[in-house]
């Protein structure tokens, strides 16, 4: 009975918005009248706690007018209808991983926190899992523990589901099953007009494809139904190397990416520095989807002589929780990315060292920034991932299936707001300089010609994500069909067409 009354109240609210303009002068007051939704203001404990959940301090410092916590797609739909009437900027937050100010944070407008949309339901008959966007990946892996299955998800348990899925989603299992977005069977999504639709290969197939890599341009996704995959024990951990091993590590990373011996294996090779001109350490994340890797899989790295090896047989869910030790909270955090083809063996040393040295010298130029920590991570993207994506209907990235790539993730963390302009300048110099070097090597025949889009999940707010997509025309056409008045384009921040 209560459920029926609540649904009736929501229907009345939605219908009334078609015929009347509310007299309330405050958007948050209107949102507070939506049945079932919790709205909190700056002095409330729930407001303060939710604002601490961003990775970057500069996002936590934003001051939304209020935070609303819907717990159903119907409530999200009612919120969208109300916000459209007010023409006020708002933000949507899943986990708060993105350090780009305004993407999932806001000052002055309402913030929609999806944390109560946290279902994780495994359907053994269809071998799918329905996941709410308010989850973090550690919650998903906990919920699936003991079922014998998992899903392609974040490599750090603290990462939120929502933004990760809409930006592509790179996981330890991606070389086997593709990007996380390629594993979505259905999206439940609230559109700009407040309607709730299911986007799949058979229902709104154009929207289904555009949501895979389209960010927040099309609606608010309230549930993802994704493929389940068998999961047992894994062999995973880190190998730590001193900075003097850099030339050997760069060679080994290139060799691994070109000769991807086993798609159950995955690596992330991360250089980290805290002192001008010195790479303090390399952290090599190693993963094998099985209790032990076959002989030779990681020999390129073990032969270099790591200082420490923590890799061991463990549970998948336990490993993605341990990687959270590498998340630094309480600092300002900037993340950015670039893409390059994997160089040939004959040109590998020159190309890899050029890219690395460019990052290192730029980082050296801002070494006096307080508390600076710089990182550069090589993430191999084997061409098989593009083939998987095409077989599953495609996505906006639309990678070529005849070239191996590196998606290179960079980040800086630091302490003081006063240093933000210097860091911002360095960020631009790193990714612009890398792009120039890649193009120069291609012109010289030292790198293959290739289509090189950006990886949304790691991209900086100044980077032109959609400008680098050859599918941008399709993406814009779909956006104009489903959001003809530009509600999400004009009232939310993010990578826009």
């Amino acid at each position: 009975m209560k459920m029926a009354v609540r649904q009736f109240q929501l229907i009345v609210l939605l219908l009334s918005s078609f015929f009347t303009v509310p007299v309330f002068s405050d958007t948050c007051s209107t949102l507070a009248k939506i049945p079932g939704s919790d709205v909190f203001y700056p002095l409330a404990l729930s407001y303060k706690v939710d604002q601490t959940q961003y990775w970057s301090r500069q996002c936590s410092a934003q001051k939304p007018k209020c935070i609303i916590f819907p717990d159903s797609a119907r409530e999200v739909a009612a919120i969208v209808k109300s916000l459209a009437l007010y023409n006020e900027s708002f933000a949507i937050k899943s986990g708060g991983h993105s350090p780009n100010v305004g993407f999932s944070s806001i000052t002055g407008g309402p913030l929609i926190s999806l944390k109560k949309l946290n279902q994780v339901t495994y359907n053994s008959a269809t071998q799918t899992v329905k996941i709410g966007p308010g989850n973090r990946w550690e919650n998903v892996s906990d919920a699936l523990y003991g079922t014998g299955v998992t899903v392609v998800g974040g490599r750090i348990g603290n990462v939120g589901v929502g933004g990760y899925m809409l930006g592509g989603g790179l996981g330890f299992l991606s070389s086997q099953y593709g990007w996380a977005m390629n594993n979505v069977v259905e999206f439940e999504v609230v559109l700009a007009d407040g309607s709730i639709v299911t986007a799949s290969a058979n229902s709104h197939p154009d929207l289904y494809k555009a949501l895979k890599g389209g960010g927040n341009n099309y609606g608010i996704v309230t549930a993802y139904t994704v493929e389940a995959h068998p999961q047992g024990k894994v062999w995973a951990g880190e190998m730590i190397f001193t900075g003097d091993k850099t030339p050997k590590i760069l060679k080994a990373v290139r060799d691994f990416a070109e000769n991807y011996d086993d798609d159950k294996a995955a690596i992330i090779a991360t250089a980290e520095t805290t002192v001008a001109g010195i790479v303090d350490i390399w952290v090599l994340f190693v993963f094998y989807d099985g209790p032990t890797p076959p002989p030779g899989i990681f020999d390129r790295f073990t032969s270099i002589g790591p200082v420490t090896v923590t890799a061991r047989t463990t549970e998948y869910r336990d490993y993605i929780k341990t990687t959270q030790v590498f998340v630094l909270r309480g600092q300002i955090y900037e993340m950015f990315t670039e893409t390059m083809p994997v160089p040939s063996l004959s040109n590998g040393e020159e190309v890899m060292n050029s890219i690395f040295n460019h990052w290192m010298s730029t980082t050296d130029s801002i070494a006096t920034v307080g508390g600076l920590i710089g990182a550069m991570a090589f993430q191999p993207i084997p061409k098989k991932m593009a083939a998987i994506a095409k077989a599953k209907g495609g996505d906006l990235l639309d990678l070529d299936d005849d070239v191996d790539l590196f998606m290179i993730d960079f980040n800086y963390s630091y302490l003081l707001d006063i240093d933000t302009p210097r860091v911002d300048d360095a960020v631009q110099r790193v990714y612009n300089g890398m792009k120039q070097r890649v193009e120069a090597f291609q012109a010289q025949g030292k790198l293959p010609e290739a289509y090189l889009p950006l990886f949304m999940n790691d991209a900086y707010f100044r980077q032109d994500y959609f400008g680098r997509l050859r599918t941008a025309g399709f993406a814009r056409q779909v956006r104009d069909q489903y959001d003809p008045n530009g509600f999400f384009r004009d009232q939310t921040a993010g990578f826009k067409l």
Side-chain angles (χ1 to χ4, degrees):
M1 183 65 177
K2 288 182 178 179
M3 180 62 70
V5 171
R6 182 172 172 187
Q7 290 178 345
F8 176 75
Q9 291 173 321
L10 283 167
I11 292 169
V12 169
L13 180 67
L14 289 170
L15 289 174
S16 66
S17 67
F18 283 105
F19 305 108
T20 62
V21 176
V23 298
F24 306 101
S25 60
D26 178 28
T27 316
C28 292
S29 298
T30 303
L31 298 177
K33 295 182 179 296
I34 295 174
S37 289
D38 295 322
V39 177
F40 294 95
Y41 295 88
L43 295 180
L45 179 61
S46 292
Y47 178 107
K48 295 180 183 295
V49 170
D50 203 67
Q51 283 299 97
T52 67
Q53 298 306 300
Y54 293 98
W55 279 31
S56 177
R57 195 181 75 235
Q58 61 186 347
C59 294
S60 292
Q62 302 300 299
K63 301 298 180 187
K65 182 186 298 184
C66 63
I67 304 178
I68 182 168
F69 298 88
D71 67 1
S72 71
R74 284 182 175 272
E75 288 173 17
V76 173
I79 292 167
V80 166
K81 295 296 296 183
S82 295
L83 290 171
L85 292 172
Y86 278 97
N87 194 31
E88 182 173 21
S89 295
F90 65 97
I92 310 158
K93 185 176 83 168
S94 170
H97 173 218
S98 172
N100 291 318
V101 173
F103 281 32
S104 61
S105 59
I106 192 168
T107 289
L111 172 67
I112 303 171
S113 174
L114 302 177
K115 66 187 295 183
K116 292 171 69 175
L117 298 175
N118 59 358
Q119 70 176 114
V120 182
T121 306
Y122 171 49
N123 185 326
S124 59
T126 60
Q127 284 298 293
T128 59
V129 183
K130 192 169 186 177
I131 303 172
N135 284 289
R136 297 181 187 274
W137 288 109
E138 60 185 333
N139 307 128
V140 176
S141 61
D142 278 342
L144 294 176
Y145 184 66
T147 63
V149 301
T150 193
V151 297
V152 178
R155 296 167 296 186
I156 296 177
N158 193 251
V159 169
V161 166
Y164 171 94
M165 295 294 286
L166 294 175
L170 183 59
F172 286 123
L173 304 175
S174 287
S175 53
Q176 294 181 78
Y177 307 120
W179 301 93
M181 62 185 173
N182 300 143
N183 288 264
V184 178
V185 177
E186 290 182 352
F187 298 91
E188 178 187 77
V189 56
V190 176
L191 301 178
D193 63 0
S195 60
I196 304 169
V197 302
T198 297
S200 69
N202 300 314
S203 173
H204 304 282
D206 51 354
L207 178 62
Y208 174 61
K209 182 175 180 178
L211 284 167
K212 293 185 281 185
N216 66 352
N217 286 277
Y218 303 98
I220 301 176
V221 177
T222 50
Y224 301 85
T225 301
V226 303
E227 296 176 17
H229 301 290
Q231 186 62 64
K233 298 275 190 179
V234 302
W235 186 88
E238 297 80 44
M239 298 182 187
I240 311 297
F241 301 85
T242 53
D244 60 297
K245 306 291 188 182
T246 292
K248 293 181 179 180
I249 292 172
L250 291 174
K251 182 180 185 305
V253 169
R254 191 223 69 84
D255 292 349
F256 181 93
E258 183 183 45
N259 306 292
Y260 218 105
D261 300 321
D262 190 329
D263 61 14
K264 292 186 176 184
I267 65 165
I268 314 170
T270 304
E272 302 208 15
T273 182
T274 57
V275 180
I278 301 175
V279 175
D280 299 310
I281 58 172
W282 278 86
V283 180
L284 180 76
F285 298 87
V286 291
F287 178 92
Y288 191 80
D289 187 15
T292 54
I297 295 295
F298 298 111
D299 285 0
R300 295 178 182 89
F301 303 104
T302 55
S303 64
I304 297 173
V307 175
T308 304
V309 178
T310 66
R312 67 196 186 285
T313 302
T314 185
E315 300 288 348
Y316 178 75
R317 68 154 188 175
D318 294 338
Y319 180 59
I320 67 168
K321 289 182 179 181
T322 65
T323 56
Q324 294 177 183
V325 70
F326 296 97
V327 178
L328 297 175
R329 290 188 177 273
Q331 291 188 288
I332 302 171
Y333 180 62
E334 306 289 7
M335 183 166 58
F336 49 109
T337 187
E338 256 301 337
T339 310
M340 63 177 274
V342 174
S344 65
L345 179 61
S346 59
N347 296 308
E349 181 177 358
E350 180 182 2
V351 172
M352 298 291 283
N353 279 285
S354 175
I355 297 301
F356 176 84
N357 291 336
H358 167 61
W359 166 74
M360 195 69 237
S361 63
T362 309
T363 304
D364 180 59
S365 72
I366 57 167
T368 57
V369 166
L372 180 73
I373 300 175
M376 174 186 192
F378 289 89
Q379 304 177 104
I381 308 295
K383 53 195 173 189
K384 180 181 178 180
M385 284 179 57
I388 294 171
K390 293 179 189 301
K392 292 185 176 183
D395 53 54
L396 289 190
L397 275 183
D398 192 34
L399 295 180
D400 292 326
D401 59 6
D402 61 353
V403 60
D404 296 310
L405 301 174
F406 282 122
M407 295 284 186
I408 305 181
D409 168 42
F410 304 89
N411 61 72
Y412 289 126
S413 61
Y414 56 103
L415 293 173
L416 304 175
D417 293 303
I418 196 173
D419 287 320
T420 295
R422 291 182 63 199
V423 175
D424 175 56
D425 175 70
V427 167
Q428 294 178 71
R429 284 188 284 133
V430 170
Y431 67 71
N432 285 328
M434 179 178 166
K435 184 173 183 290
Q436 291 164 6
R437 282 163 173 76
V438 168
E439 290 172 347
F441 282 126
Q442 288 176 320
Q444 297 165 20
K446 294 179 179 179
L447 274 177
E449 292 295 328
Y451 161 64
L452 301 174
L454 296 171
F455 178 32
M456 179 188 282
N457 289 152
D458 291 348
Y460 193 54
F461 73 97
R462 295 190 190 279
Q463 294 186 279
D464 189 8
Y465 171 75
F466 281 104
R468 296 274 290 269
L469 289 183
R470 60 188 175 195
T471 56
F474 166 79
R476 184 176 292 105
Q477 179 182 356
V478 177
R479 183 209 55 193
D480 292 345
Q481 177 184 350
Y482 287 92
D483 187 8
N485 297 318
F487 173 69
F488 290 106
R489 179 195 65 205
D490 299 337
Q491 292 183 229
T492 61
F495 292 109
K496 300 298 179 181
L497 288 153

